[in-house]
Amino acid sequence: MRQGAGAPIVAGGTALQTMGRELLTVAYAAAQSLKLYPIENATVQNTLAEFERVVRRILDVERAIELRLVGDFFFLNDARLRLDLSNYHTFSFLAGVLGRHGIGVVNIEPGVFREELAIFLSLLLFDPDPEDPFGKFEGRLADSPVQRITVGPVGQGAARFADDEEARKAARRTYAQSVHIAREVLTDIRLGRAVNLRRVKRAVQSIVDQVLNNEQAMLGMTTLRDYDEYTFTHSVNVCILSVILGQRLGLSKLQLYELGMAALFHDIGKMRIDPAIVNKAGSLTEEEFAQIMEHPTEGLLALFSIQGLAETSYRVMLAAYEHHMKADLSGYPQNRRPRKQSLFSRIVAVADGFDAGTSKRSYQPMPPTPDAVLRTMRDDPTLGYDPLLVKALLNVTGIYPVGTLVILDTFELAVVVAPSTDPRRLHQPRVKILADPFGLPLARPIVADLTEIDPATGYPKRTIIKTTDPEKYGIRVADYIV
Amino acid sequence: MSGSLDTGTLSTRPVDGVGESLHAFVRDLLGLFGKTVRAYQMYSVNNPVYERFVGRLRSGFEALWRHVPSLHLVVEEAGFRWEGELIAVGEGRDSVPFQFYKDGVRYITFLPGFEEELERLLDVIVRSRRLQTEEDDLVTLLWEQEFSAFQYGYVDVLADGVELPEGNDGPPGGGISLEVLADDIGSLEPSFEGGDSEPVVAAGTIRREDFFETLYFLDPDELDRLRQELDDEWARDMREEVLRALFDRLEDGSPARQTEILDILRQLLPVFLARGDLASAAMVLQELEEIMRRGDVLGAEQHERADALFDELSKPAVIGQLLQAIEDGAIAPDRETLALFLSWLRPAALPVLFRAAERSNSAVVRARVGPACDRLAAQHPDLVIALLESDDDAVAAGAARAAGRLRLPEAARGLIRLLTRRDAATRLVAVESLIALHDAQAMEGLQKALDDENREVRIAAARGLGALRYAPARKSLEKAIAGKALRDADLTEKLAFFEAYADLGGADAITLLDTLLNGRTGILGRRHSSELRACAATALGRIGTPAARACLERAGSDPDTIVRSAVARALRREGATS
């Protein structure tokens, strides 16, 4: 499908995210003060007044508030509120408080009074019922004078989020556009033509926006691996993975943009290497490998030729130069002067390693499964990846990354389509079941959440027992994710 | 709804729901917005005209929020559309709506609180007007701002014609091979190779340790470590890292690569200089110098290129640019950094630097460049001495000052020759530097300056000779004191000579000084002038011997108050020092 003149309008700006973060901050402050002091206390009243002010401001603009908790993230009316190092404690406290009562959604209507907000927060601070936390909370709320605040259970928000077709469409659009621009830019560099930096900036900004709004959808796009256009899709995949990682580490939006640019250009040096060597099927000779090992330096030099970029970011250049250096500097190129691999370079290295490791290449016709690649990255120190960043990547992808083909204990064949929304259940992702226990393909794959418990047994309904190679089955996993 | 939206020139009619008054208000507000953009473009932010526009616009938005929760506008080529009405803001391609429209923006929404972000938006709009098409556009600039009270939506024209990937939610195309699946499932059972060997478990089978959550969670310590890494990352000088990379590869690169790197360095240097980053520029020169000195790193052609880089940097035109930037205040390097950078230049830069140090209109340049040249000058003393002969007085003066600061004894002859220059400023510098040299030849030459036609030169020479206690100059000073020329000089000059005479003459000077203080002159037996007598008293005070004191006491009740006052001061000084 091609996009025509009726291209959709993309929303820009971060007003809702800003208001949302403010909402959580004031809610946290009010909850903390209620924990410590009686309600009549001036501090409590001040924090509640602030809470009310922010709620009303949002209601004035948005007409309603729906706060959803999905995994690590809060969503305010579909805008994802970024968890980062500067606010993770506030967020995790509130997530913990809501999660204990089994609450996944909070709705606030216009006209809400301060007293209602106070009662709601007070109820949250009660100990949850061990048997039916959500039911008990809902009952208490119904019995109280609160009229304009309602709640929904955990999972309600996640389900809606996961099936968001609009979000996936936006992700597809961003992905396709980015690959198109990567192809243009890298080809221009190969041919020595001027580069349109503005288009690259737009593409990376768009990736950052999509990651901030719907990380899972963008993560799913990285399963799109076009063998013939590997260089371009790889650059975009590394960009997406790096930005996602950076987002988890708490980088600001502008920092994520810079990281995204660094990742997109990380292999630009290959445009200056003989394509016959870069794309050679079979093993490389020593001389050919030596040439490949020049691509980081070639990348550094190539970036100086891009008008407007040389001024902008030395970090982008360093990522191209350092991404094969390894954290202990035992990689390449070799250093004659003291150096420490920059954080951006290490992030890009991890993203690069994962994407390259899971891609079909001329030298790797049968790539290992994604989980095997992750395990190797984690367990083999000679590969030189920063272990903390690998851990962060695992936090993002889960044990079984999106695109992993798995066999369940029911002998159904399934593909992982999203990591678990529960960070304590990274081994229980969401899957699409492709074949029934008898091996018969399903006419329409069904989505299953592996965290789901069978009420009869009290155990998960399905468990992964093995990962396997989609090539064996002739399955293109991206088809089920995109 | 009641109440007006009055804010100066904006509509003052009472508001009546979403009625005509509100429309008129919004129309006026947007018109004002367009004018404020223009004002931002034309005036500086301190300009009262601009401040007035911004103030009114802020008030306008503040008033608006009392009546609407937000202002959502559809962007069209010809204007902004609000509540069905198309509102033009400016005309044609210069208009604000067109500017948004052409970069793909199709709606904008102002929210309460926008007043705080107003100027940032003005800045973005005006900056985007000045862009070249290859760089940014309005959308990329808006994105960087992270507005919280301004939203926008844009059509992504870059995505036009791009094919979107499509999924397939049907069954796998070729079906599932049961043999393969059975083989996969069958291999789940671990097989033993026999004996005590470990069971072989099929690849891909899950392992217990995969469930260890601590492998995947980032605990608070790790988060702290990452946060610290981020802070460290942002504090690092990436420019230096990139330069180190370039130099590493320069050392082991092929000739073609070396040439490319040298070209890059050549392009970087003016960028560094333009930014005032002389430290990076100095680093480049230092590394290059080191590599060139090694001799076995660069090819002949590359060596020449590197050499040419130094020559080019040392050219008057290039140095002149740097000096102009300092003079204009565009850059403000500290003396140490400037000295470091200049020390790597070729000696050909010295004349330009000397000239600037002496004659620049900028006090900052004069104050910083002169001392900053010293490192370079010290490496080339012969050139400094040669430049004393320069026909350009400013260059010669600069060389003279450098020679004095560096205490180059070989410069004495050249400095003495400068005393015959027509330019008084040059002669003065020569005197100061001769004093700094502090050797016999210099002092000998300095005596000539006692007769200089310029007052400053004479004073400097007298003071210098006195301070250095150059006894042979006593006779010259005596002659000057006894002569007529000094009688016409001002008090400062007189004092300089008398004090020097006292310092050099000591007790031998008392006779003349006493004659001037207490003696009479001429047929009528008059006293000398008050000033002359006061200077003599001061000089006697400096000598401080009992004989000198006796001379002073004789004049202690002199009817001339100026003389009496000088005598009293001299006696007090003499008392203090005795």
Side-chain angles (χ1 to χ4, degrees), chain B residues 92-238:
Chain B
R93 299 180 97 77
D94 281 340
S95 73
V96 173
F98 182 77
Q99 192 178 347
F100 277 97
Y101 188 85
K102 77 169 174 52
D103 280 344
V105 179
R106 292 294 177 263
Y107 73 78
I108 58 177
T109 307
F110 299 95
L111 299 166
F114 170 70
E115 311 79 74
E116 308 308 318
E117 298 177 338
L118 165 60
E119 288 191 85
R120 280 167 52 206
L121 180 61
L122 295 175
D123 183 64
V124 165
I125 294 171
V126 168
R127 269 199 294 140
S128 72
R129 288 181 173 185
R130 295 179 186 147
L131 291 171
Q132 296 168 28
T133 47
E134 295 77 22
E135 298 174 22
D136 289 276
D137 60 15
L138 187 58
V139 171
T140 60
L141 293 181
L142 282 172
W143 189 91
E144 289 173 356
Q145 287 303 312
E146 296 200 80
F147 291 110
S148 57
F150 176 76
Q151 293 176 321
Y152 56 96
Y154 60 96
V155 172
D156 203 346
V157 296
L158 297 177
D160 264 356
V162 171
E163 195 162 326
L164 298 191
E166 287 296 330
N168 162 33
D169 248 358
I176 304 289
S177 163
L178 289 177
E179 286 82 13
V180 172
L181 183 59
D183 184 52
D184 247 342
I185 293 169
S187 69
L188 284 168
E189 287 297 322
S191 63
F192 284 83
E193 290 185 344
D196 296 326
S197 58
E198 290 284 318
V200 175
V201 180
T205 310
I206 55 150
R207 301 182 306 188
R208 202 185 154 78
E209 59 266 31
D210 288 344
F211 294 106
F212 291 165
E213 292 164 357
T214 51
L215 288 174
Y216 307 108
F217 272 13
L218 289 174
D219 61 40
D221 286 344
E222 288 168 333
L223 281 170
D224 283 342
R225 189 189 125 189
L226 275 170
R227 201 190 311 215
Q228 185 58 52
E229 285 233 35
L230 272 168
D231 290 343
D232 291 347
E233 178 84 356
W234 249 257
R236 284 168 71 193
D237 185 351
M238 292 291 153

Side-chain angles (χ1 to χ4, degrees), chain A residues 1-4 7-15 18 57 60-61 63 85 88 172-173 176-177 180 197-199 201-202 205 208-209 224 249 251 253-255 257 272 294 297-298 300-301 304 311 314-315 318 321 333-340 342-344 346 375 378-379 386 388 391 394-395 399-400 407 411 413 423-424 426-427 432 435 438-439 441-445 464-468 472-473 475 479-480 482, chain B residues 69 103 106-107 111-113 133-137 139-140 143-144 146-172 175-178 180-181 184-185 187-188 202-207 210-211 213-218 220 222-227 229-230 233-234 236 238-239 241-242 244-249 251-252 257 260-261 264 268 271-272 275 287 291:
Chain A
M1 183 188 98
R2 283 192 177 267
Q3 287 204 111
I9 293 178
V10 179
T14 56
T18 306
R57 182 163 182 252
D60 278 346
V61 175
R63 307 279 192 246
L85 293 176
Y88 74 91
R172 285 208 303 276
R173 194 168 48 238
Q177 163 196 334
H180 176 72
L197 201 59
R198 182 168 54 97
R199 292 167 68 82
K201 285 185 179 183
R202 281 260 205 134
Q205 286 177 350
V208 171
D209 279 342
L224 285 166
L249 300 180
L251 269 69
K253 199 170 96 154
L254 290 177
Q255 291 167 343
Y257 160 75
R272 291 166 45 130
E294 291 297 327
T297 301
E298 293 294 329
L300 169 67
L301 299 178
F304 273 103
E311 305 280 323
Y314 292 107
R315 263 189 200 87
L318 285 175
Y321 182 68
Q334 289 281 294
N335 294 295
R336 291 167 175 259
R337 289 163 177 75
R339 170 176 299 281
K340 185 186 168 195
S342 80
L343 180 62
F344 270 27
R346 280 179 274 142
R375 208 175 288 127
R378 183 194 72 194
D379 296 340
D386 184 323
L388 204 53
K391 197 170 173 183
L394 282 159
N395 214 250
I399 297 173
Y400 306 108
I407 299 173
F411 300 132
L413 190 69
R424 290 158 301 196
L426 294 178
H427 56 291
K432 258 189 193 171
F438 301 103
L442 300 180
R444 197 161 180 80
I464 294 172
I465 53 172
K466 188 177 178 188
T467 62
T468 187
K472 282 203 270 190
Y473 298 89
I475 289 173
D479 286 347
Y480 300 98
V482 169
Chain B
D103 280 344
R106 292 294 177 263
Y107 73 78
L111 299 166
T133 47
E134 295 77 22
E135 298 174 22
D136 289 276
D137 60 15
V139 171
T140 60
W143 189 91
E144 289 173 356
E146 296 200 80
F147 291 110
S148 57
F150 176 76
Q151 293 176 321
Y152 56 96
Y154 60 96
V155 172
D156 203 346
V157 296
L158 297 177
D160 264 356
V162 171
E163 195 162 326
L164 298 191
E166 287 296 330
N168 162 33
D169 248 358
I176 304 289
S177 163
L178 289 177
V180 172
L181 183 59
D184 247 342
I185 293 169
S187 69
L188 284 168
T205 310
I206 55 150
R207 301 182 306 188
D210 288 344
F211 294 106
E213 292 164 357
T214 51
L215 288 174
Y216 307 108
F217 272 13
L218 289 174
E222 288 168 333
L223 281 170
D224 283 342
R225 189 189 125 189
L226 275 170
R227 201 190 311 215
E229 285 233 35
L230 272 168
E233 178 84 356
W234 249 257
R236 284 168 71 193
M238 292 291 153
R239 201 172 305 166
E241 304 278 346
V242 168
R244 278 203 221 118
L246 288 173
F247 283 112
D248 276 355
R249 300 289 71 86
E251 289 193 31
D252 59 22
R257 177 172 283 174
E260 186 177 4
I261 292 175
I264 288 172
L268 280 177
V271 173
F272 292 154
R275 286 206 193 125
E287 291 273 5
I291 287 171

Side-chain angles (χ1 to χ4, degrees), chain B residues 20 23-24 27 80-87:
Chain B
E20 173 52 27
H23 271 261
R27 231 181 278 133
F80 293 129
R81 191 170 290 280
W82 183 69
E83 302 284 337
E85 181 188 348
L86 184 69
I87 302 170

